Amino acid sequence: MTTAAKAVQTTGTTAASARQVTKTYGAGETRVTALDSVDVDIQRGRFTAIMGPSGSGKSTLMHCLAGLDTVTEGRIWIGDAEITGLKDKQLTKLRRDKIGFIFQAFNLLPTLNALENITLPMDIAGRKPDKAWLDQVVETVGLADRLKHRPTQLSGGQQQRVAVARALAARPEIIFGDEPTGNLDSRSGAEVLTFLRRSVDELGQTIVMVTHDPVAAGYADRVLFLADGAIVDEMLAPTADSVLERMRRFDGKRTS
Ligand SMILES: Nc1ncnc2c1ncn2[C@@H]1O[C@H](COP(=O)(O)OP(=O)(O)O)[C@@H](O)[C@H]1O
Ligand SMILES: [Mg+2]
């Protein structure tokens, strides 16, 4: 299993892709087009941020890419594996084997310590964690001296770093985060973002993060800008300032 997962990680340069993906909710007069013919490729070993106004389709795009929601039209791949058309059981297995998630709420189990929380998904799946990898993850997140602590004994930033370590521990092909720093103060947010950055630079992880925060987006390699369910722009090597400036221009367009 571990060998197969590693082999997948080192082949190809695209970790996820979408072709002509449309997602509509509801029908008739209440029909909403959340995604409108989206084409996107997410590069492996990169940190991609998805930005856009509230309601622009950020969460929907992430959920469709991650197989948490079905598309109305179009196709999605995780690595070489097409996920559109998979049966529930196959999709659940693919998500478990290839995808990690970090949510706004840390979703840690209060009765387990940090280390037990980190290895829980693998324990449930009956997989043995790779000890060397786990040590490296724990070291990178800076949690080595906190492993025996319960979530209530950790700060918000530390709890979210446990959640990130949990996502990384299984060496997923790709990690998705929806506003992973949304519940954190700026200092804890910076702590988690620095760690996400390091996991890309030092561990080769692929990360896709939805955010509305230009500072958070400034940690990414690439920012995709969504508006009304379509990708309207992208920026490489973003900084907080350049992202903010770009957002102001969008706002200007909309109000003029
Ligand atoms: N489950 C749902 N049922 C109906 N409409 C939805 C649902 N989820 C999202 N939408 C609508 O789809 C659009 C995009 O939503 P979303 O992806 O959550 O945007 P964002 O994450 O950028 O704020 C919005 O108009 C939203 O109201
Ligand atoms: Mg959202």
Side-chain angles (χ1 to χ4, degrees), residues 5-86:
K6 272 179 196 158
V8 167
Q9 268 188 338
T10 50
T11 55
T13 56
T14 306
S17 24
R19 286 295 174 273
Q20 291 297 299
V21 165
T22 292
K23 173 72 181 179
T24 57
Y25 291 107
E29 279 181 18
T30 59
R31 190 168 131 123
V32 175
T33 303
L35 293 177
D36 190 1
S37 308
V38 170
D39 286 321
V40 68
D41 289 311
I42 303 294
Q43 281 105 32
R44 203 180 297 279
R46 296 292 193 84
F47 189 176
T48 304
I50 300 176
M51 298 199 79
S54 178
S56 58
K58 303 183 294 296
S59 295
T60 305
L61 177 58
M62 194 199 97
H63 291 160
C64 288
L65 284 173
L68 291 172
D69 203 349
T70 55
V71 305
T72 309
E73 278 175 62
R75 303 169 74 181
I76 308 256
W77 290 261
I78 292 291
D80 297 333
E82 180 167 5
I83 65 169
T84 29
L86 285 185

Side-chain angles (χ1 to χ4, degrees), residues 9 99-102 118 121-122 127 130 133-134 136-141 143 160-175 192 195-200 202-207:
Q9 268 188 338
I99 303 179
F101 294 99
I102 314 161
I118 291 169
M122 282 182 293
R127 286 163 63 182
D130 176 336
W133 174 254
L134 197 58
Q136 203 181 340
V137 166
V138 163
E139 188 59 37
T140 314
V141 264
L143 287 167
Q160 190 63 314
R161 283 193 279 145
V162 172
V164 176
R166 178 180 56 189
L168 278 164
R171 306 195 89 148
E173 176 132 351
I174 186 166
I175 290 179
V192 169
F195 169 59
L196 290 174
R197 184 68 253 173
R198 284 185 64 186
S199 68
V200 171
E202 295 172 24
L203 307 176
Q205 186 60 58
T206 305
I207 297 180

